[in-house]
Structure formats: structure tokens, C-alpha cells
Amino acid sequence: MAETALAVVLDRASAEPLAVQLADALRAAAADGRLRSGDRLPSTRALAERLGVSRTVTAAAYEQLHAEGWIAGRHGSGTYVTTTPPGALKSKARRAAVPAAQAHVVDLAHA
């Protein structure tokens, strides 16, 4: 199964940590259907490189989503979106107004 294409926006000027922003973006994408059960996510290393952040940022986001039940790792295969956790909100992702000069958009499509 190929990696899923998904745009992620990180606002480096925000007081919210980058790992929290990334986890929120991926959680929202899973909740609103842009990411579906079985979709493969990039490795933490590959995603960190694409986003221009440290691997610690992507690993922290993935760890949080794993703890919440949104994603699961398959040894030797990668990280995948699980079914939507029970009680998850099916609402649209909240979007903050982010000036284009401060936002960093990365397409998660396999490069």
C-alpha cells in the first residue's frame, strides 16, 4: 500500500509546539476522512525531512497519536492509520488563520 498524500501546515510562529500541531493535523485528517483506516504514513525520519523539523517532532506526534489509538506501527512495514477511535469527533478540522509567509506546507505524498 502506498503512502497517503496529505498537506500538512506547521506554523513556526505559533506558541503551540510543532509536535502538537502535527498531531492535531493528522488527527483531524483521520477524523474527517482525508486519512482512512489502513493508510500508510511516512516514517518519522522521512516526514521530519519533508517538514524541515527534527525527528523528535515527528516521533512525538506519532507517539501521541499511537497512545490515542489513531495510528499503529507494523514491525518492518511502517505506520498506518487505524480505525477511528471510539468516541472520536467526526467534525471538520479546525483551521487557524496562518499568514502564508509563516506557514510551511508539505505534501506527504511519497517523493
Side-chain angles (χ1 to χ4, degrees):
M1 186 175 287
E3 288 178 8
T4 301
L6 178 70
V8 172
V9 178
L10 298 179
D11 180 3
R12 295 175 190 284
S14 173
E16 188 170 67
L18 294 174
V20 173
Q21 291 181 46
L22 178 57
D24 286 349
L26 295 174
R27 188 182 305 105
D32 71 15
R34 290 176 286 145
L35 286 175
R36 290 177 271 191
S37 181
D39 284 348
R40 184 172 186 257
L41 297 175
S43 69
T44 57
R45 185 170 282 114
L47 183 55
E49 185 176 315
R50 291 179 197 166
L51 292 172
V53 298
S54 89
R55 185 167 170 258
T56 304
V57 169
T58 56
Y62 278 25
E63 286 175 24
Q64 181 62 40
L65 294 171
H66 184 275
E68 294 173 8
W70 290 99
I71 63 175
R74 295 183 195 159
H75 186 68
S77 178
T79 302
Y80 295 84
V81 176
T82 61
T83 56
T84 304
L89 298 177
K90 291 285 189 180
S91 64
K92 293 286 184 188
R94 65 182 170 115
R95 294 194 179 258
V98 178
Q102 294 178 346
H104 184 76
V105 178
V106 173
D107 188 349
L108 294 181
H110 185 54

